């Protein structure tokens, strides 16, 4: 099955002169190196670093690595004490801390530990005059409420609030100010706003933010499933367990990873990975194999192919595709093969790099596709993933990424980004149908970060004006004239006579003629180390008056070749069991705890029963009943509907009028909970 990928890999990689997105750009490496050089010239004061960091939140029983660093030392700090809630750390964790040192640092590390009891924990470090204290919160999931069997997390990479609006306008249109329809994600009742900053930066990257969703912990820019440390090795940093690892370890659930990017890229990698450097893509491919998600669908075959294979980007002869096949996976490399596959383990790699965007795939734009002309769309990938994963009676966790929303917004190609947003939304529709049939699946739709695209009005050349002068605002904007004649949800033409005028707030110098690019094109070119506007983005690159289309950027031309992320909050929509957790303004790490809560995920040995547990007091308040607890007899007396019921907490038995009744109840976190069905039945019977 590898034949086509192997034959076409070399030509496609060589032909790909332009790559958009967040992946390892040369100027990013230059900036990092320059920062490192500058840092070495500054004398830093000695400091204490503790990982996990202050205010870290843990699911009780989850695994993590614990590390303390004394950095930038100018003398021996003397004796070091490390305690957790006043107890020596080694005794607390039941493992000795491994000690290392350099001429200016001391390190103390213990791997693979857990905290099993919910509560607040204080970590204190003292070394001579140095000291630091951090606090941790350890929580159990709330047993109240119906629990989900499956969770599907949709991540629209870079999908800000304006991205959703743009896609809705282009897909559904408006009549006299009212939308003619809504996107699938618009129809989710439960909504929240998510903040996205990482532990080291106001503005995040996709690795850091996707890691927060998958672990419940903050990380640093470029980090996946780790807290950063002071070593150069990107693979030895303190790890935190991912949701997928927890579910495999304790539940036997199936895992799916679906993306239109390289499957080793930041967001899909966050499901399985532990590395300080998101560009460790050969190693991330191996991490995918180590966890073995039952479904892996996306691009990025170059990191699965042995070095000797044309097109490979590996530096060794490991055949990762072959390893998957030996482990029982069916391997597919195009849409036809994917649809035909009958299997319970599926690996699909449809491009050596990122998959092409929806517009180019759907129009068979061979200038963009090269030889990869049979790539599946995202909703078919989602359907296939659900078909495979739902074979597991234990349930599944599926992450689906619409990756090129972000990658095209980096390139300021908002039209292609919008087509990919609509494709992403249609995949959400597929999941919604499954959830409605089975009534046991939580669906979450969110973004990892935002971009600065915004709608200023419309663009219209009907009166002879063009360029900036043809951007219409307020009442002159009227409404765009996108047409969807075939009713497939996508506009037939991205360049109607009156189109959206989308502007960018965080962009490099570029040309903007408001015309759709025939192929994805970089907004800049490098000219003597400075990024300048690329005339190839113009409909007529040789236009002698092209400077009228020139837009002065807002970011550093010596360092940024594309549009950049912003720190704006992002939307979240949720549907299904556990969706009520998602409300108000949430930190991105809380998305993890919402998913764990919906699954009733206990990592301390308790088995999920998926019963509809409710708070006894809340239930009685709703029906006009009361309860009274007797500490001496350890009983709770319920009065409701003219009935008296006694719960004996010592025996776990319930009686009504002195006769045993089948009422399910228990105390969790000092709160009495009951199954609503059993209480209703007990109250209804004589």
């Amino acid at each position: 099955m590898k034949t086509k990928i192997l034959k076409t890999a070399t030509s496609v990689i060589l032909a790909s002169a332009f790559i958009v997105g967040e992946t390892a750009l040369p100027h990013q490496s230059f900036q990092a190196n320059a920062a490192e050089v500058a840092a070495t010239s500054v004398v830093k004061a000695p400091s204490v670093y503790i990982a996990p960091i202050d205010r870290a939140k843990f699911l009780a029983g989850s695994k993590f690595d614990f590390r303390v660093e004394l950095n930038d030392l100018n003398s021996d700090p003397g004796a070091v004490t490390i305690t957790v809630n006043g107890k020596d750390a080694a005794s607390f964790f039941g493992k000795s801390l491994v000690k290392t040192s350099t001429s200016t640092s001391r390190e103390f590390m213990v791997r693979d530990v857990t905290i099993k009891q919910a509560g607040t924990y204080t970590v204190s470090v003292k070394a001579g005059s140095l000291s630091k204290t951090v606090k941790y919160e350890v929580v159990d999931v709330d047993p109240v409420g119906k629990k989900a069997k499956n969770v599907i997390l949709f991540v629209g990479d870079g999908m800000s609030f304006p991205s959703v609006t743009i896609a809705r306008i282009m897909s559904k249109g408006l009549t006299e100010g009212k939308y003619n329809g809504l996107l699938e994600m618009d129809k989710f009742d439960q909504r929240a706003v998510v903040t996205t900053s990482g532990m080291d930066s106001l503005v995040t990257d996709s690795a850091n933010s996707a890691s927060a969703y998958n672990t419940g912990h903050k990380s640093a820019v470029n980090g996946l499933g780790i807290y950063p440390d002071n070593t150069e090795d990107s693979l030895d940093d303190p790890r935190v367990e991912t949701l997928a690892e927890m579910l495999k370890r304790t539940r036997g659930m199936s895992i799916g990873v679906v993306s239109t990017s390289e499957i080793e890229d930041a967001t899909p990698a966050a499901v399985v990975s532990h590395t300080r450097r998101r560009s460790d893509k050969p190693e991330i491919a191996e991490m995918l194999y180590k966890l073995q998600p039952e479904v892996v669908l996306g691009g990025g075959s170059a990191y699965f192919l042995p070095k000797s294979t044309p097109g490979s980007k590996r530096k060794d002869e490991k055949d990762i595709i072959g390893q998957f096949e030996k482990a029982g996976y069916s391997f597919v490399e195009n849409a036809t093969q994917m649809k035909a596959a009958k299997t319970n383990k599926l690996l699909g790699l449809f491009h050596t790099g990122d998959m092409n965007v929806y517009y180019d795939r759907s129009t068979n734009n061979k200038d963009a596709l090269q030889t990869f002309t049979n790539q599946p769309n995202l909703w078919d990938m989602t359907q296939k993933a659900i078909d495979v994963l739902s074979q597991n009676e234990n349930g599944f966790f599926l992450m689906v990424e619409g990756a090129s929303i972000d990658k095209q917004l980096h390139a300021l190609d908002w039209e292609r980004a919008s087509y990919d947003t609509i494709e992403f939304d249609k995949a959400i529709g597929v999941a919604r149908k499954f959830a409605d049939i089975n009534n046991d699946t939580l669906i979450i739709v969110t973004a990892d970060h935002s971009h600065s695209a915004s709608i200023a009005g419309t663009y219209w050349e009907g009166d002879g004006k063009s360029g900036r002068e043809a951007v219409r605002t307020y009442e002159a904007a009227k409404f765009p004239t996108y047409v969807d004649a075939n009713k497939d949800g996508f506009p037939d033409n991205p360049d109607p006579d009156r189109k959206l005028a989308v502007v960018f707030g965080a962009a490099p110098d570029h040309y903007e003629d408001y015309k759709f690019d025939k192929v994805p094109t970089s907004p800049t070119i490098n000219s003597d180390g400075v990024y300048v506007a690329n005339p190839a983005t113009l409909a007529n690159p040789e236009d002698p008056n092209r400077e009228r289309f020139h837009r002065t950027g807002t970011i550093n031309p010596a360092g940024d070749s594309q549009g950049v992320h912003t720190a704006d909050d992002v939307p979240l929509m949720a549907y299904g069991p556990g969706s009520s957790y998602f409300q108000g303004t949430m930190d991105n790490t809380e998305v993890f705890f919402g998913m764990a809560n919906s699954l009733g995920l206990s990592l301390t040995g308790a088995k999920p029963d998926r019963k509809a547990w409710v708070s006894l007091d809340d239930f009685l308040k709703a029906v006009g009943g009361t309860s009274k607890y007797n500490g001496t007899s350890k009983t709770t007396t319920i009065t409701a509907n003219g009935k008296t019921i006694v719960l004996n907490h010592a025996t776990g038995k319930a009686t009504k009028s002195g006769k045993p009744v089948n009422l399910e109840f228990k105390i969790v976190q000092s709160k009495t909970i009951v199954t609503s069905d059993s209480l209703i039945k007990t109250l209804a019977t004589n």
Side-chain angles (χ1 to χ4, degrees), residues 402-441:
S404 286
I405 302 169
D406 168 80
K407 296 182 188 303
Q408 296 307 305
L409 289 174
H410 275 294
L412 313 186
D413 192 338
W414 64 267
E415 295 99 336
R416 279 184 172 82
S418 299
Y419 276 77
D420 269 50
T421 306
I422 299 170
E423 178 190 33
F424 177 69
D425 189 66
K426 291 173 79 70
I428 295 167
V430 166
R432 172 71 181 264
K433 288 180 182 178
F434 173 81
D436 284 343
I437 292 171
N438 294 278
N439 198 32
D440 60 2
T441 301

Short mmCIF file of all heavy atoms in Angstrom, two decimals, residues 402-441:
data_model
loop_
_atom_site.label_atom_id
_atom_site.label_comp_id
_atom_site.label_asym_id
_atom_site.label_seq_id
_atom_site.Cartn_x
_atom_site.Cartn_y
_atom_site.Cartn_z
N GLY A 402 -9.22 20.74 12.68
CA GLY A 402 -9.23 21.47 11.42
C GLY A 402 -7.99 22.34 11.38
O GLY A 402 -8.00 23.49 11.82
N ALA A 403 -6.90 21.80 10.85
CA ALA A 403 -5.58 22.39 11.04
C ALA A 403 -5.32 23.61 10.18
O ALA A 403 -4.62 24.54 10.60
CB ALA A 403 -4.51 21.33 10.76
N SER A 404 -5.85 23.63 8.98
CA SER A 404 -5.44 24.68 8.04
C SER A 404 -6.25 25.96 8.17
O SER A 404 -6.01 26.91 7.43
CB SER A 404 -5.49 24.16 6.60
OG SER A 404 -4.40 23.29 6.38
N ILE A 405 -7.20 26.00 9.10
CA ILE A 405 -7.77 27.30 9.45
C ILE A 405 -6.62 28.20 9.89
O ILE A 405 -6.45 29.33 9.42
CB ILE A 405 -8.81 27.15 10.57
CG1 ILE A 405 -9.93 26.19 10.16
CG2 ILE A 405 -9.38 28.52 10.96
CD1 ILE A 405 -10.84 25.79 11.30
N ASP A 406 -5.81 27.67 10.77
CA ASP A 406 -4.63 28.39 11.27
C ASP A 406 -3.59 28.61 10.18
O ASP A 406 -3.09 29.71 9.99
CB ASP A 406 -4.01 27.60 12.42
CG ASP A 406 -2.64 28.11 12.81
OD1 ASP A 406 -2.56 29.12 13.53
OD2 ASP A 406 -1.63 27.50 12.40
N LYS A 407 -3.27 27.55 9.46
CA LYS A 407 -2.16 27.64 8.51
C LYS A 407 -2.45 28.66 7.41
O LYS A 407 -1.54 29.37 6.94
CB LYS A 407 -1.87 26.26 7.93
CG LYS A 407 -1.39 25.28 8.99
CD LYS A 407 -1.06 23.92 8.41
CE LYS A 407 -0.78 22.91 9.52
NZ LYS A 407 0.31 23.32 10.43
N GLN A 408 -3.71 28.78 7.01
CA GLN A 408 -4.03 29.76 5.98
C GLN A 408 -4.19 31.17 6.54
O GLN A 408 -3.94 32.15 5.84
CB GLN A 408 -5.30 29.32 5.24
CG GLN A 408 -5.14 28.01 4.48
CD GLN A 408 -3.94 28.04 3.54
OE1 GLN A 408 -3.82 28.93 2.69
NE2 GLN A 408 -3.05 27.07 3.68
N LEU A 409 -4.59 31.29 7.80
CA LEU A 409 -4.61 32.62 8.40
C LEU A 409 -3.20 33.16 8.62
O LEU A 409 -2.98 34.37 8.55
CB LEU A 409 -5.40 32.60 9.71
CG LEU A 409 -6.91 32.43 9.56
CD1 LEU A 409 -7.57 32.26 10.91
CD2 LEU A 409 -7.53 33.60 8.80
N HIS A 410 -2.24 32.27 8.90
CA HIS A 410 -0.85 32.71 8.94
C HIS A 410 -0.46 33.35 7.60
O HIS A 410 0.26 34.34 7.57
CB HIS A 410 0.08 31.53 9.21
CG HIS A 410 0.25 31.20 10.66
ND1 HIS A 410 0.86 32.05 11.55
CD2 HIS A 410 -0.10 30.11 11.37
CE1 HIS A 410 0.88 31.51 12.76
NE2 HIS A 410 0.30 30.32 12.68
N ALA A 411 -0.95 32.76 6.52
CA ALA A 411 -0.62 33.26 5.18
C ALA A 411 -1.52 34.39 4.75
O ALA A 411 -1.43 34.86 3.60
CB ALA A 411 -0.73 32.11 4.18
N LEU A 412 -2.40 34.85 5.64
CA LEU A 412 -3.37 35.91 5.35
C LEU A 412 -4.35 35.50 4.26
O LEU A 412 -4.99 36.35 3.62
CB LEU A 412 -2.67 37.23 4.98
CG LEU A 412 -1.51 37.68 5.87
CD1 LEU A 412 -1.03 39.08 5.46
CD2 LEU A 412 -1.89 37.67 7.34
N ASP A 413 -4.49 34.19 4.02
CA ASP A 413 -5.40 33.66 3.02
C ASP A 413 -6.70 33.27 3.73
O ASP A 413 -6.99 32.10 3.96
CB ASP A 413 -4.77 32.44 2.33
CG ASP A 413 -5.52 32.01 1.09
OD1 ASP A 413 -6.72 32.34 0.97
OD2 ASP A 413 -4.92 31.31 0.24
N TRP A 414 -7.48 34.29 4.07
CA TRP A 414 -8.67 34.05 4.88
C TRP A 414 -9.74 33.27 4.12
O TRP A 414 -10.57 32.58 4.74
CB TRP A 414 -9.23 35.37 5.40
CG TRP A 414 -9.71 36.31 4.33
CD1 TRP A 414 -9.00 37.30 3.73
CD2 TRP A 414 -11.01 36.33 3.75
NE1 TRP A 414 -9.78 37.95 2.79
CE2 TRP A 414 -11.02 37.37 2.79
CE3 TRP A 414 -12.17 35.58 3.93
CZ2 TRP A 414 -12.15 37.67 2.03
CZ3 TRP A 414 -13.30 35.88 3.16
CH2 TRP A 414 -13.28 36.92 2.23
N GLU A 415 -9.74 33.36 2.78
CA GLU A 415 -10.75 32.61 2.02
C GLU A 415 -10.54 31.10 2.19
O GLU A 415 -11.48 30.36 2.49
CB GLU A 415 -10.70 32.97 0.53
CG GLU A 415 -11.09 34.41 0.22
CD GLU A 415 -9.89 35.32 0.03
OE1 GLU A 415 -8.80 34.98 0.57
OE2 GLU A 415 -10.01 36.34 -0.66
N ARG A 416 -9.29 30.64 1.99
CA ARG A 416 -9.03 29.22 2.18
C ARG A 416 -9.28 28.80 3.63
O ARG A 416 -9.78 27.71 3.89
CB ARG A 416 -7.59 28.87 1.75
CG ARG A 416 -7.42 28.71 0.25
CD ARG A 416 -6.02 28.27 -0.13
NE ARG A 416 -5.93 27.94 -1.54
CZ ARG A 416 -5.78 28.82 -2.52
NH1 ARG A 416 -5.66 30.11 -2.22
NH2 ARG A 416 -5.72 28.43 -3.78
N ALA A 417 -8.92 29.67 4.56
CA ALA A 417 -9.18 29.36 5.97
C ALA A 417 -10.67 29.18 6.21
O ALA A 417 -11.08 28.29 6.98
CB ALA A 417 -8.63 30.49 6.86
N SER A 418 -11.49 29.98 5.55
CA SER A 418 -12.93 29.90 5.76
C SER A 418 -13.52 28.63 5.16
O SER A 418 -14.42 28.02 5.76
CB SER A 418 -13.61 31.13 5.16
OG SER A 418 -13.15 32.30 5.80
N TYR A 419 -13.04 28.23 3.99
CA TYR A 419 -13.49 26.95 3.42
C TYR A 419 -13.13 25.80 4.36
O TYR A 419 -13.92 24.86 4.54
CB TYR A 419 -12.88 26.73 2.04
CG TYR A 419 -13.62 27.40 0.91
CD1 TYR A 419 -13.49 28.77 0.68
CD2 TYR A 419 -14.46 26.68 0.07
CE1 TYR A 419 -14.17 29.40 -0.35
CE2 TYR A 419 -15.15 27.30 -0.97
CZ TYR A 419 -15.00 28.67 -1.18
OH TYR A 419 -15.68 29.28 -2.20
N ASP A 420 -11.96 25.89 4.99
CA ASP A 420 -11.58 24.83 5.93
C ASP A 420 -12.41 24.90 7.22
O ASP A 420 -12.66 23.87 7.84
CB ASP A 420 -10.08 24.93 6.26
CG ASP A 420 -9.25 24.08 5.31
OD1 ASP A 420 -9.45 24.21 4.09
OD2 ASP A 420 -8.43 23.28 5.79
N THR A 421 -12.85 26.09 7.61
CA THR A 421 -13.73 26.20 8.76
C THR A 421 -15.08 25.55 8.47
O THR A 421 -15.66 24.86 9.32
CB THR A 421 -13.95 27.67 9.16
OG1 THR A 421 -12.67 28.30 9.35
CG2 THR A 421 -14.76 27.79 10.44
N ILE A 422 -15.57 25.74 7.26
CA ILE A 422 -16.84 25.10 6.88
C ILE A 422 -16.67 23.59 6.81
O ILE A 422 -17.55 22.84 7.27
CB ILE A 422 -17.33 25.67 5.53
CG1 ILE A 422 -17.59 27.17 5.65
CG2 ILE A 422 -18.60 24.94 5.08
CD1 ILE A 422 -17.84 27.87 4.33
N GLU A 423 -15.56 23.12 6.26
CA GLU A 423 -15.28 21.68 6.25
C GLU A 423 -15.26 21.14 7.68
O GLU A 423 -15.83 20.07 7.98
CB GLU A 423 -13.94 21.40 5.56
CG GLU A 423 -13.58 19.92 5.56
CD GLU A 423 -12.15 19.65 5.10
OE1 GLU A 423 -11.27 20.49 5.39
OE2 GLU A 423 -11.91 18.60 4.47
N PHE A 424 -14.60 21.85 8.56
CA PHE A 424 -14.52 21.49 9.98
C PHE A 424 -15.92 21.40 10.57
O PHE A 424 -16.26 20.46 11.30
CB PHE A 424 -13.68 22.55 10.69
CG PHE A 424 -13.52 22.41 12.17
CD1 PHE A 424 -12.77 21.37 12.71
CD2 PHE A 424 -14.08 23.34 13.04
CE1 PHE A 424 -12.59 21.26 14.09
CE2 PHE A 424 -13.90 23.24 14.41
CZ PHE A 424 -13.16 22.19 14.94
N ASP A 425 -16.78 22.35 10.24
CA ASP A 425 -18.13 22.37 10.76
C ASP A 425 -18.94 21.18 10.27
O ASP A 425 -19.76 20.62 11.01
CB ASP A 425 -18.82 23.68 10.37
CG ASP A 425 -20.15 23.86 11.07
OD1 ASP A 425 -20.14 24.02 12.31
OD2 ASP A 425 -21.19 23.84 10.39
N LYS A 426 -18.73 20.78 9.03
CA LYS A 426 -19.45 19.61 8.51
C LYS A 426 -19.00 18.34 9.24
O LYS A 426 -19.81 17.42 9.44
CB LYS A 426 -19.23 19.49 7.00
CG LYS A 426 -19.91 20.60 6.21
CD LYS A 426 -19.56 20.56 4.73
CE LYS A 426 -20.34 19.50 4.00
NZ LYS A 426 -21.78 19.83 3.86
N ALA A 427 -17.75 18.28 9.65
CA ALA A 427 -17.28 17.14 10.46
C ALA A 427 -17.99 17.14 11.81
O ALA A 427 -18.33 16.07 12.35
CB ALA A 427 -15.77 17.21 10.63
N ILE A 428 -18.21 18.32 12.37
CA ILE A 428 -18.96 18.43 13.63
C ILE A 428 -20.36 17.88 13.45
O ILE A 428 -20.91 17.19 14.32
CB ILE A 428 -18.98 19.89 14.11
CG1 ILE A 428 -17.57 20.36 14.46
CG2 ILE A 428 -19.93 20.07 15.30
CD1 ILE A 428 -17.44 21.86 14.65
N GLY A 429 -20.97 18.16 12.28
CA GLY A 429 -22.30 17.64 11.99
C GLY A 429 -22.35 16.12 11.99
O GLY A 429 -23.32 15.51 12.45
N VAL A 430 -21.30 15.49 11.47
CA VAL A 430 -21.22 14.03 11.47
C VAL A 430 -21.21 13.50 12.91
O VAL A 430 -21.92 12.55 13.26
CB VAL A 430 -19.95 13.56 10.72
CG1 VAL A 430 -19.64 12.09 11.01
CG2 VAL A 430 -20.10 13.80 9.23
N ALA A 431 -20.41 14.14 13.77
CA ALA A 431 -20.34 13.72 15.17
C ALA A 431 -21.67 13.95 15.88
O ALA A 431 -22.10 13.13 16.71
CB ALA A 431 -19.21 14.47 15.87
N ARG A 432 -22.33 15.05 15.57
CA ARG A 432 -23.62 15.36 16.21
C ARG A 432 -24.65 14.28 15.88
O ARG A 432 -25.43 13.86 16.75
CB ARG A 432 -24.10 16.74 15.76
CG ARG A 432 -25.51 17.12 16.19
CD ARG A 432 -25.60 17.37 17.68
NE ARG A 432 -26.96 17.71 18.08
CZ ARG A 432 -27.43 18.95 18.22
NH1 ARG A 432 -26.64 20.00 17.99
NH2 ARG A 432 -28.66 19.16 18.60
N LYS A 433 -24.68 13.81 14.65
CA LYS A 433 -25.62 12.75 14.27
C LYS A 433 -25.36 11.49 15.08
O LYS A 433 -26.29 10.84 15.56
CB LYS A 433 -25.51 12.46 12.78
CG LYS A 433 -26.08 13.55 11.89
CD LYS A 433 -25.94 13.21 10.41
CE LYS A 433 -26.48 14.34 9.53
NZ LYS A 433 -26.28 14.02 8.08
N PHE A 434 -24.09 11.14 15.25
CA PHE A 434 -23.74 9.97 16.06
C PHE A 434 -24.17 10.17 17.50
O PHE A 434 -24.75 9.27 18.13
CB PHE A 434 -22.23 9.73 15.99
CG PHE A 434 -21.74 8.65 16.91
CD1 PHE A 434 -21.84 7.31 16.55
CD2 PHE A 434 -21.17 8.96 18.14
CE1 PHE A 434 -21.40 6.30 17.41
CE2 PHE A 434 -20.72 7.97 19.00
CZ PHE A 434 -20.84 6.64 18.63
N ALA A 435 -23.93 11.36 18.03
CA ALA A 435 -24.28 11.64 19.42
C ALA A 435 -25.78 11.60 19.64
O ALA A 435 -26.27 11.10 20.67
CB ALA A 435 -23.72 12.99 19.83
N ASP A 436 -26.55 12.09 18.68
CA ASP A 436 -28.00 12.11 18.81
C ASP A 436 -28.58 10.69 18.79
O ASP A 436 -29.57 10.40 19.47
CB ASP A 436 -28.63 12.94 17.70
CG ASP A 436 -28.46 14.44 17.93
OD1 ASP A 436 -28.16 14.83 19.08
OD2 ASP A 436 -28.63 15.21 16.97
N ILE A 437 -27.98 9.81 18.02
CA ILE A 437 -28.46 8.43 17.94
C ILE A 437 -28.15 7.67 19.23
O ILE A 437 -28.98 6.91 19.73
CB ILE A 437 -27.83 7.72 16.73
CG1 ILE A 437 -28.38 8.31 15.43
CG2 ILE A 437 -28.10 6.21 16.78
CD1 ILE A 437 -27.65 7.83 14.19
N ASN A 438 -26.96 7.90 19.78
CA ASN A 438 -26.49 7.09 20.91
C ASN A 438 -26.70 7.72 22.27
O ASN A 438 -26.71 7.02 23.29
CB ASN A 438 -25.00 6.76 20.71
CG ASN A 438 -24.78 5.86 19.51
OD1 ASN A 438 -24.93 4.65 19.59
ND2 ASN A 438 -24.44 6.46 18.37
N ASN A 439 -26.84 9.04 22.33
CA ASN A 439 -27.13 9.75 23.58
C ASN A 439 -26.10 9.47 24.68
O ASN A 439 -26.43 9.44 25.86
CB ASN A 439 -28.53 9.38 24.08
CG ASN A 439 -29.05 10.38 25.10
OD1 ASN A 439 -28.74 11.57 25.04
ND2 ASN A 439 -29.84 9.91 26.05
N ASP A 440 -24.84 9.23 24.29
CA ASP A 440 -23.81 8.92 25.30
C ASP A 440 -22.48 9.57 24.98
O ASP A 440 -21.44 9.14 25.48
CB ASP A 440 -23.63 7.40 25.42
CG ASP A 440 -23.20 6.74 24.12
OD1 ASP A 440 -23.00 7.45 23.10
OD2 ASP A 440 -23.06 5.50 24.09
N THR A 441 -22.51 10.62 24.15
CA THR A 441 -21.26 11.19 23.65
C THR A 441 -21.22 12.70 23.89
O THR A 441 -22.14 13.42 23.50
CB THR A 441 -21.10 10.91 22.14
OG1 THR A 441 -21.09 9.50 21.93
CG2 THR A 441 -19.80 11.51 21.61
#
